[in-house]
Amino acid sequence: MAKTLYRNGAVYSAADPFATAIVVDGDTISWLGGEDAADRHAENVDEVIDLRGALVTPAFVESHTHLAALGRTLSGADLSSATSASSLLSLVAVQGQKSSKVVLAQGWDNSDWEDQTLPEANDLTSAADGRAYYLSRRDVHSALVNRELLDFLGLGHLKPGVVAGADHDDVRLAIAKAQKADHEFQRLALAHYASRGFATVVEMAAPHLEGRAALDQLLADNQPKLPQVYAFWGEAVSDADTADELFSSFPKGRLLGIGGDLKVDGSLGSHTAYLREDYSDKAGERGTLYLNKEEIAAHLVACSSRGIQASFHVIGDGALDEVLDGFDLAAQEIGVPKLQMARHRLEHVEMVDDVTRQRLLQYAITVSMQPVFDHAWGGSNGMYAQRLGQRAESMNNLSAMLSAGVPMVLGSDAPVTEVDGWQVVRAAMNMSNTQGRVSARAAFLAQTRSTYRAMGEMNPLAGQLAIGAQATFAVWTASELAVQTPDVRISSWSTDARAGTPMLPVVDEEIPECLRTVRAGVTIFDNLETQN
């Protein structure tokens, strides 16, 4: 592998905050520093690349994604532009022309439609040219289905229209069994991640999502010119031997844990997130609880006994109470230290108060959150306010998590939100709850160094640019760099350039463009040559 000098740019590195150049020797960073020293290194490298002011940062790590679903969205099966029942019908008609038997599409969200009424099943079937259809809501916790699909899947006892909760899970599971795993969608999604500066992704797989065959195919691929894939498998276990056998059935080192999208509850958009109190827009409804505290405790004990990381999908405050009660039960059986050592984590965790944060901290639980959810559904007129009323005002408090010492990583839950690490940074700095905002630096670290730690990576240099670190990085356009903190907070480090705090792109108006992504010294996306 070649030895390459990148120079005349900016390098985001705590090891040398003023570095403008970096040398990559094979798969390792062998030097970084200023332009004077770069002149000497230029004589001993195979290639010199003029960055022309571009920024080099550690590559992003996606902590929560669904690759096949993202690939389908990228290939056009996207209903997110629907703004009314009639526009949804038009989009379904387009999808019907592309499909042979079943129309699979996703992304509609009627919470911001002027008239939130959904089309009738017969009208959608006509739009789909008589074909069976599965049209998932943006949050993928409910879907529109017709009689043709239900009969095709052998689920004729269900009613056409909107399916949610356990009925939706039955439909998803049947679809996963009926369809052939399409690896091209996964590869399309991975190439997209590479083009957005990501070198590592964590897939959230489960029987009711794409199924085991799709995950096996994904993990077996391991292409060096695509981002590295790790995964969670969302299947509940109740004893240690079963946990060990299941975990060992996956390629060594590629499965992070048993859980991920192992659902304790659903989503707020579909009224299936489990709440302490009724939904504000649906009296008498508190959502769906898929696992109780005893089942949660059994899963935790089984995984912890073999040192396996467990993870749960949890959004509502009632569901989070149930999870933490499960941790209490597990602690009575195996003790708190054993739970802490397994590095368990929770996905989404949007409704957390001070008492609950302390309970998270007690068990050293990592939380995986998605700030762009707030951008999509937060605010006084957003879906969260519709569903929760005043309770929505304290949601997704990123700052409180960090202040309490709860380990936190950030991601997209693609295709629910767009693949863009800088959009995540922007959203984290501009949360609807002003007290929940964090700095650009905190949001960036939660998608790089912190994410590797949550994955159990033992190399202290993972997710950083330093001599001896793996050469995994991205090159970005960056017209302006600064140390950025939310206006309502006092910075805990100096914003004076002389203090040596590394600077990041200003993302208030312009989002950086990825010019190159490198994984362990191998270029997996390249638009840099065309710029030079």
Side-chain angles (χ1 to χ4, degrees):
M1 297 176 70
K3 190 174 185 179
T4 305
L5 168 66
Y6 294 81
R7 64 179 305 181
N8 191 30
V11 179
Y12 183 86
S13 172
D16 186 348
F18 302 107
T20 62
I22 189 170
V23 172
V24 175
D25 189 354
D27 62 356
T28 304
I29 296 170
S30 61
W31 174 84
L32 55 83
E35 287 304 309
D36 290 342
D39 287 335
R40 296 192 297 273
H41 284 278
E43 301 173 1
N44 301 304
V45 298
D46 299 301
E47 183 181 12
V48 177
I49 294 177
D50 185 352
L51 292 170
R52 298 187 180 184
L55 171 68
V56 182
T57 72
F60 283 118
V61 181
E62 171 62 85
S63 65
H64 188 124
T65 189
H66 303 277
L67 291 170
L70 173 60
R72 282 193 291 272
T73 297
L74 294 171
S75 67
D78 184 7
L79 305 176
S80 61
S81 62
T83 57
S84 64
S86 61
S87 64
L88 180 58
L89 288 170
S90 298
L91 290 170
V92 171
V94 173
Q95 295 302 317
Q97 296 172 5
K98 300 178 182 179
S99 306
S100 55
K101 292 183 179 180
V102 179
V103 179
L104 296 175
Q106 56 209 25
W108 60 268
D109 181 0
N110 62 334
S111 64
D112 60 352
W113 296 0
E114 185 175 349
D115 179 357
Q116 296 185 11
T117 305
L118 292 166
E120 295 292 335
N122 290 339
D123 293 333
L124 283 166
T125 301
S126 296
D129 199 22
R131 294 174 175 83
Y133 62 75
Y134 170 84
L135 313 173
S136 66
R137 198 179 188 282
R138 183 176 179 180
D139 55 35
V140 202
H141 284 271
S142 59
L144 289 161
V145 300
N146 60 358
R147 174 56 58 195
E148 287 76 4
L149 179 79
L150 296 174
D151 289 343
F152 171 70
L153 297 176
L155 298 172
H157 62 285
L158 298 181
K159 293 182 179 180
V162 177
V163 289
D167 290 346
H168 180 248
D169 284 350
D170 289 344
V171 171
R172 286 297 299 255
L173 185 60
I175 289 174
K177 291 179 177 178
Q179 69 180 356
K180 181 180 178 181
D182 195 333
H183 193 45
E184 290 307 309
F185 286 140
Q186 296 169 332
R187 286 194 173 186
L188 177 63
L190 286 170
H192 182 67
Y193 267 106
S195 74
R196 297 301 181 95
F198 287 79
T200 307
V201 303
V202 178
E203 168 79 348
M204 294 292 164
H208 64 279
L209 298 177
E210 303 298 329
R212 177 68 191 258
L215 181 57
D216 286 342
Q217 189 178 54
L218 178 65
L219 296 181
D221 195 31
N222 198 25
Q223 290 287 326
K225 292 194 174 183
L226 289 173
Q228 177 70 65
V229 179
Y230 297 91
F232 281 91
W233 177 247
E235 182 176 345
V237 293
S238 58
D239 65 84
D241 288 343
T242 301
D244 196 32
E245 181 180 354
L246 179 59
F247 190 78
S248 300
S249 69
F250 291 91
K252 187 175 181 180
R254 304 294 297 283
L255 192 74
L256 298 178
I258 302 176
D261 265 345
L262 176 55
K263 295 193 301 183
V264 177
D265 69 342
S267 72
L268 291 167
S270 295
H271 289 100
T272 52
Y274 187 68
L275 307 180
R276 293 172 178 169
E277 301 175 2
D278 291 357
Y279 279 88
S280 296
D281 59 350
K282 203 168 185 179
E285 179 61 61
R286 293 194 179 185
T288 304
L289 191 66
Y290 293 96
L291 295 174
N292 60 38
K293 60 186 178 183
E294 290 81 12
E295 293 167 322
I296 292 164
H299 186 79
L300 289 168
V301 170
C303 291
S304 302
S305 297
R306 298 302 170 90
I308 298 171
Q309 187 177 26
S311 183
F312 300 93
H313 165 110
V314 52
I315 288 181
D317 49 7
L320 185 54
D321 290 341
E322 197 76 16
V323 168
L324 292 170
D325 287 347
F327 270 86
D328 290 344
L329 288 176
Q332 292 174 18
E333 185 170 345
I334 61 174
V336 172
K338 206 154 195 174
L339 288 167
Q340 294 174 331
M341 290 174 63
R343 301 176 297 101
H344 301 309
R345 61 184 261 176
L346 302 179
E347 308 299 319
H348 311 311
V349 199
E350 297 194 76
M351 302 177 68
V352 188
D353 57 25
D354 289 337
V355 172
T356 308
R357 267 185 287 274
Q358 291 305 311
R359 295 181 74 188
L360 290 169
L361 188 61
Q362 175 187 357
Y363 293 111
I365 300 170
T366 296
V367 296
S368 168
M369 303 179 72
Q370 293 74 36
V372 184
F373 283 7
D374 178 78
H375 175 75
W377 298 308
S380 58
N381 297 315
M383 182 270 289
Y384 287 155
Q386 294 175 27
R387 299 289 188 269
L388 302 173
Q390 290 186 342
R391 289 172 289 177
E393 296 174 3
S394 60
M395 288 180 62
N396 292 301
N397 193 329
L398 309 182
S399 177
M401 288 293 194
L402 291 179
S403 298
V406 177
M408 181 180 75
V409 297
L410 303 179
S412 70
D413 194 13
V416 177
T417 68
E418 185 181 358
V419 173
D420 194 322
W422 298 115
Q423 291 279 13
V424 171
V425 170
R426 175 192 282 177
M429 295 178 64
N430 294 279
M431 304 296 287
S432 298
N433 173 10
T434 57
Q435 298 302 315
R437 297 173 179 174
V438 298
S439 68
R441 177 175 179 264
F444 181 76
L445 292 178
Q447 298 180 83
T448 51
R449 189 175 69 187
S450 298
T451 312
Y452 281 112
R453 290 179 178 176
M455 292 164 58
E457 173 59 60
M458 301 304 293
N459 185 348
L461 296 180
Q464 301 183 67
L465 299 183
I467 295 173
Q470 186 182 77
T472 297
F473 59 89
V475 181
W476 307 91
T477 60
S479 57
E480 183 181 0
L481 302 177
V483 176
Q484 303 156 78
T485 60
D487 293 341
V488 297
R489 291 176 52 80
I490 298 173
S491 175
S492 59
W493 58 88
S494 176
T495 58
D496 190 319
R498 292 171 296 181
T501 302
M503 294 187 290
L504 289 167
V506 175
V507 294
D508 289 345
E509 296 181 0
E510 183 179 354
I511 294 294
E513 175 189 352
C514 183
L515 300 176
R516 175 175 288 186
T517 307
V518 177
R519 170 192 157 199
V522 176
T523 298
I524 61 174
F525 170 77
D526 195 12
N527 197 32
L528 186 61
E529 294 299 329
T530 61
Q531 303 289 320
N532 280 306

